Amino acid sequence: MSAAIGTRTPRVYARRTAVLAAAAALAAGAALITAPAAVAAPPAPVDAATARTYLGQLTVQAEGSLTGYSRAKFPHWITQSGTCNTREVVLKRDGVNVTTDSSCAATGGSWYSPYDGATWTAASDVDIDHIVPLAEAWRSGANNWTTPQRQGFANDLTRPQLIAVTDNVNQAKGDKDPAKWLPSQTSYRCTYARMWVDVKHYYKLTVDSAEKSALQGILNSC
């Protein structure tokens, strides 16, 4: 399944299992609602000029295979502090008016997904996306890392590597690189490309030729 390319009207959603009457009322007011006034976000990526420089420094080579890959080799959603794991920290960071229970699970709030312009009011409708997917990292050099290195990558809160987005959009992205998938919100593509290059450069991951070409095209238009 692939994500549609093009700008989508921002929407606000409750749980997908809401009754039809509630869904209809929500749809009626959706046109009046845009992104929350104070949208939290991941750490800012490098600017476009720096990203272009970084992209030129990345090694270009064909992607490796997925032989030996498993998500278990990238231990993720580790405990960050107290009872809060990485997912819960990102949900709180990227959400607005987020409330949590004693286990740090989100019980309320809203999350704006910059990939598709949707806003969700249930944490269950939100995925935490790895900007550079784990499988993509494996094919680009992470297969040679130690497990602690892969764990650091999968839970990186310092660089622009983790972001809260609509779950099915994240699932449509899968492990695709920017030559094969981009956010449907065209206004976010520059930021996305800067994030991607920033992460790959920091971790010294490779890019393939089609991926580099796609990134160059976006960054040259930033």
Side-chain angles (χ1 to χ4, degrees), residues 4-217:
I5 300 299
T7 303
R8 293 168 60 182
T9 302
R11 298 174 303 279
V12 172
Y13 298 89
R15 289 187 182 276
R16 293 192 178 100
T17 55
V19 295
L20 291 177
L26 190 63
L32 302 176
I33 303 174
T34 57
V39 179
V46 296
D47 61 29
T50 303
R52 287 191 288 269
T53 298
Y54 280 6
L55 181 59
Q57 295 171 349
L58 295 179
T59 298
V60 180
Q61 67 180 47
E63 286 188 345
S65 74
L66 277 179
T67 300
Y69 168 77
S70 76
R71 290 179 65 84
K73 293 185 177 180
F74 291 80
H76 53 290
W77 308 167
I78 61 171
T79 300
Q80 292 289 342
S81 63
T83 60
C84 301
N85 65 28
T86 306
R87 170 181 164 83
E88 292 157 347
V89 169
V90 176
L91 282 173
K92 190 164 186 178
R93 182 198 70 190
D94 290 5
V96 175
N97 298 323
V98 177
T99 58
T100 59
D101 62 20
S102 60
S103 299
C104 203
T107 56
S110 64
W111 292 268
Y112 174 73
S113 169
Y115 285 1
D116 59 334
T119 296
W120 298 95
T121 58
S124 58
D125 288 323
V126 178
D127 275 358
I128 307 305
D129 180 38
H130 290 94
I131 295 293
V132 176
L134 305 183
E136 166 68 19
W138 179 271
R139 293 190 297 257
S140 304
N143 59 311
N144 295 316
W145 295 351
T146 64
T147 297
Q149 286 176 313
R150 289 192 285 264
Q151 175 175 295
F153 175 83
N155 297 275
D156 191 347
L157 295 170
T158 303
R159 277 148 289 277
Q161 163 66 346
L162 298 172
I163 185 171
V165 297
T166 302
D167 56 0
N168 62 346
V169 172
N170 180 49
Q171 291 152 20
K173 171 186 171 181
D175 64 354
K176 302 179 182 73
D177 67 36
K180 300 172 184 175
W181 186 92
L182 288 169
S184 61
Q185 289 232 110
T186 55
S187 61
Y188 196 71
R189 291 180 184 176
C190 178
T191 301
Y192 183 78
R194 288 159 48 210
M195 295 166 82
W196 184 281
V197 173
D198 197 351
V199 171
K200 279 220 163 179
H201 184 268
Y202 179 83
Y203 285 100
K204 297 180 173 58
L205 296 170
T206 62
V207 290
D208 62 47
S209 57
E211 175 188 353
K212 182 175 182 179
S213 179
L215 289 164
Q216 283 176 325

